[in-house]
Amino acid sequence: MKTYYFTFGQVHKHTINKTTYNKDCVCAIKAKNMSEARDKMFDTFNDKWAFAYEEKPDMSFFPRGIIRL
């Protein structure tokens, strides 16, 4: 399993199990491949997220850090 990273747009805000995902954090998902990770993002957040990364993005843009899904 590999970790994949996802970010959210300026207007994307989601609260899942009392955890808020928004433009200030990176969502991390462990999956077999990027396709499986993207499927989980679509299942959880629909199409209200921005970018997918195979490597950890520049965290200086995300003051809330990484939140695992």
Side-chain angles (χ1 to χ4, degrees):
M1 295 277 221
K2 184 177 175 185
T3 301
Y4 296 92
Y5 303 91
F6 296 85
T7 57
F8 300 91
Q10 294 289 318
V11 298
H12 300 151
K13 182 179 178 184
H14 310 275
T15 301
I16 310 284
N17 297 326
K18 298 182 183 178
T19 300
T20 299
Y21 297 86
N22 63 15
K23 64 179 177 54
D24 294 327
C25 70
V26 174
C27 178
I29 295 177
K30 282 199 178 231
K32 289 185 281 188
N33 54 46
M34 178 62 84
S35 179
E36 182 179 282
R38 286 174 51 87
D39 287 347
K40 188 164 187 175
M41 282 297 287
F42 279 113
D43 288 345
T44 306
F45 303 109
N46 199 356
D47 63 350
K48 306 299 185 218
W49 52 278
F51 297 102
Y53 303 87
E54 291 195 20
E55 302 294 327
K56 186 165 71 168
D58 179 355
M59 295 306 295
S60 66
F61 295 105
F62 306 100
R64 293 187 53 233
I66 295 172
I67 301 174
R68 292 207 174 270
L69 181 63

